[in-house]
Amino acid sequence: MDEFNDLNIEETPQPVSLFKLNFEKMIRDMRFVGAFVIIYGALTCLSIIGAIIGVPIIIIGLRIREAAEQFEIYKATNQAAALRMGFELQGKYFRLAKIIIIVSLVLTLIWFVFIFGLLISGFHTLYQLDGMDYNSIGLFSLM
């Protein structure tokens, strides 16, 4: 990333390029995704168990918004340090998002195994009741 220190971008007016348009769109998209992730994390925090996952979700939303701010600073000032910081914050966002995705998948898998175990146990109990002689326990002796 040291090569960003050697950037000598002149401040003469340039025609709007496709790169600049895409760069500005990326910044807007990062802000939107950050706001959406923060709101989703806040809604997730409404339950006690959800707060375990909601707080890290809020943190990654803040990281992507901070990265968008750094890219905006770079766009306005051409400071290579702002560009570097934007990439570092964006990298932190993706790293944390990856961890949350993996943890969520593992918890979902555990949940499905738990539900499957309950269903198997319930079906096994129903199967055992199906073979039971109800007359011997007196349930249908009145009929």
Side-chain angles (χ1 to χ4, degrees), residues 9-78:
I9 300 174
E10 298 177 20
E11 295 187 25
T12 58
Q14 300 283 333
V16 179
S17 67
L18 184 61
F19 173 76
K20 286 184 183 181
L21 290 174
N22 286 336
F23 192 71
E24 290 173 4
K25 184 180 179 318
M26 182 189 71
I27 292 171
R28 285 192 311 269
D29 289 344
M30 288 170 66
R31 284 193 180 132
F32 172 78
V33 168
F36 180 79
V37 168
I38 290 169
I39 292 168
Y40 177 73
L43 291 175
T44 305
C45 285
L46 292 177
S47 69
I48 294 172
I49 301 218
I52 296 170
I53 294 175
V55 172
I57 289 174
I58 292 172
I59 291 171
I60 67 168
L62 292 172
R63 290 295 171 264
I64 198 67
R65 288 189 57 89
E66 290 171 359
E69 287 176 18
Q70 291 298 318
F71 287 137
E72 188 71 38
I73 292 170
Y74 171 74
K75 187 179 86 171
T77 63
N78 274 343

Side-chain angles (χ1 to χ4, degrees), residues 41-132:
L43 291 175
T44 305
C45 285
L46 292 177
S47 69
I48 294 172
I49 301 218
I52 296 170
I53 294 175
V55 172
I57 289 174
I58 292 172
I59 291 171
I60 67 168
L62 292 172
R63 290 295 171 264
I64 198 67
R65 288 189 57 89
E66 290 171 359
E69 287 176 18
Q70 291 298 318
F71 287 137
E72 188 71 38
I73 292 170
Y74 171 74
K75 187 179 86 171
T77 63
N78 274 343
Q79 291 179 354
L83 183 64
R84 183 181 308 114
M85 181 61 72
F87 281 128
E88 288 175 6
L89 289 169
Q90 195 176 34
K92 286 180 183 179
Y93 164 78
F94 284 117
R95 200 170 315 115
L96 291 171
K98 179 176 60 174
I99 291 169
I100 288 175
I101 289 169
I102 291 170
V103 168
S104 297
L105 288 173
V106 168
L107 290 176
T108 302
L109 181 66
I110 290 171
W111 177 252
F112 280 129
V113 167
F114 177 73
I115 294 297
F116 185 71
L118 285 177
L119 287 174
I120 294 297
S121 173
F123 286 138
H124 180 68
T125 303
L126 284 175
Y127 178 73
Q128 285 180 341
L129 288 176
D130 189 37
M132 184 177 283

